[in-house]
Each structure stands twice: as C-alpha cells, then as structure tokens.
Amino acid sequence: MDITSYWSNFADGKSRDMIQQYPSQLFGKAVAELSSLPGIGQKTALRLALFLLRQDKDKVERFARTISDMRQEIKRCKVCHNISDTDVCPICADKRRDGTTVCVVENVQDVIAIENTQQYNGLYHVLGGVISPMDGTGPGDLEIGSLAERVSAGGVNEVILALSSTMEGDTTNFYIYRKLAPTGVKLSVIARGISVGNELEYTDEVTLARSIINRVPFDGGR
C-alpha cells in the first residue's frame, strides 16, 4: 500500500488493516466509526471506544438508542426548516414571537447562536447552506424559494440577512435581495461587528447580540 492510499484509508476509518490491529474486529470497527466523526482522530476514537466498553450495557444501549432516535425521528420545521420534534418547531409555534420579522441564517447552529444572545424575538428561516459554486451549491439547493413564498404570502415586514461575512455569504445575500426586492419587504443585514471571514457560530455572544440589535438596511451590497 502506498503512503497516499494508507492515509486515505486512515482518514475514512475503513482500512481493514486498521481494524485487524485490534484484538477484536468488533472493537476495531467501533474505533473506525468513531474516528469518522468531525474532529475525532484515531487516538481519541480509541479512548472513546474503551470508555464505552467499560460502561454498563444498559447505559451504552441507551446511548446508541438516543443517537438512532435522533437520526430517525427529528424533523425539519415546515415553516422555517429548523430541526424539530414536531412538524412546526417551538419557535414558529410560539405566539409571543414577532412573526413580522424573519431572520435568515445558514444553518441550525446559527439559530442556536442567535437564540443564546436573548436579543432577538422574531422568527427564523434556515437556508441549509450558502451559494457556493466551488462546492456545487446553487440557489436551487437552498431554501430560498420557500423564503420568497413565505414573504409573498404576507405578514412579514422585515427580513434580516444574518449570514456569515464571507464571499459566499455576501453572494447569497445579494441573490436573496434580488429575489425579494419585488415584494417591497424591508431588507436588513446584521451589523458588521462580526469579522469578515468568520463563521457566525464561532462569534462570541456579545458581538453577535450587538450585530443583531444594530442591523442596517441592505441595498444589495452597493
């Protein structure tokens, strides 16, 4: 096996040699699966597998069942596309929220980040990504069409564009601006207290809160 193939197999955790180096193939498969998780290397995966092996069977089975239930039963909110246990997420179903304001975000992590600031009381719309030709992601791959339908249906006075300050985020902002311009809805973008190039989910809560509060009108980037 050449070095390129070895490291490729090491990275995806599927090398038969990796599994066979352990006294149990079942244990080796568990380490390989754990090492496939983001940020988990083989050594960390080995420690996690050994930890699970030391736990009571009932505890491990409960852990595995919880992960399986999450994957099988979690839904996407029919309104905003956030994750939810029901067809409509608790945020959209909360009558105390300001339904006239919709904050557009890239992913679920961004919803959580903004909610943690406790400075926003409107609703959300999760795009599921940003426009990125390099990654093969176009407008049709995102929930932009459903956003336009939601605004066109009436009741929304302001759309806050809260995407990350990257080239892809700005491209998506501009596309949404062109898409929603005919509706006459007010468009604003969060204040650029967030550094250009930073991901929203890694921004500290104070900066993120100030960005939401001090949002400014969006004119298509001009």
Side-chain angles (χ1 to χ4, degrees):
M1 177 185 296
D2 60 61
I3 191 66
T4 302
S5 298
Y6 174 83
W7 283 111
S8 175
N9 287 333
F10 181 86
D12 64 22
K14 295 179 181 178
S15 170
R16 181 176 299 174
D17 292 338
M18 284 176 60
I19 294 175
Q20 289 183 342
Q21 68 179 308
Y22 300 110
S24 164
Q25 287 197 16
L26 292 174
F27 182 81
K29 289 179 180 179
V31 172
E33 290 298 328
L34 288 169
S35 66
S36 70
L37 296 173
I40 303 295
Q42 189 184 19
K43 289 184 178 180
T44 301
L46 175 60
R47 289 196 296 269
L48 291 173
L50 288 171
F51 172 80
L52 291 172
L53 198 59
R54 292 194 299 268
Q55 305 307 303
D56 293 336
K57 289 184 179 181
D58 289 344
K59 185 175 182 179
V60 176
E61 288 176 0
R62 184 169 64 251
F63 174 81
R65 186 166 57 250
T66 299
I67 299 299
S68 177
D69 289 346
M70 177 192 70
R71 183 62 186 89
Q72 295 294 330
E73 298 181 17
I74 278 185
K75 304 176 181 180
R76 290 284 178 176
C77 175
K78 292 183 177 180
V79 179
C80 71
H81 311 291
N82 191 14
I83 58 174
S84 175
D85 294 335
T86 54
D87 290 337
V88 178
C89 74
I91 294 177
C92 288
D94 190 347
K95 300 300 182 182
R96 296 169 297 179
R97 309 281 301 210
D98 177 11
T100 66
T101 306
V102 174
C103 184
V104 178
V105 296
E106 178 180 345
N107 52 44
V108 174
Q109 295 98 308
D110 296 338
V111 174
I112 295 171
I114 294 175
E115 282 295 285
N116 285 339
T117 71
Q118 298 183 351
Q119 296 296 320
Y120 177 70
N121 193 47
L123 303 181
Y124 294 92
H125 192 89
V126 182
L127 295 179
V130 289
I131 297 172
S132 177
M134 292 290 291
D135 297 325
T137 304
D141 300 311
L142 308 176
E143 293 294 345
I144 296 177
S146 60
L147 173 63
E149 292 176 2
R150 188 174 174 184
V151 173
S152 297
V156 177
N157 296 333
E158 180 184 6
V159 172
I160 305 171
L161 302 175
L163 303 181
S164 299
S165 302
T166 61
M167 182 179 297
E168 292 79 9
D170 287 342
T171 299
T172 309
N173 280 341
F174 183 72
Y175 184 89
I176 293 174
Y177 163 75
R178 295 289 299 271
K179 192 80 172 177
L180 299 184
T183 67
V185 69
K186 177 184 177 182
L187 285 168
S188 58
V189 61
I190 55 175
R192 295 303 173 106
I194 299 172
S195 301
V196 174
N198 280 4
E199 296 293 334
L200 200 66
E201 65 179 288
Y202 300 120
T203 303
D204 67 274
E205 293 178 9
V206 173
T207 300
L208 187 55
R210 288 175 178 171
S211 296
I212 289 290
I213 294 171
N214 298 313
R215 59 187 182 271
V216 298
F218 184 65
D219 59 359
R222 293 193 294 271

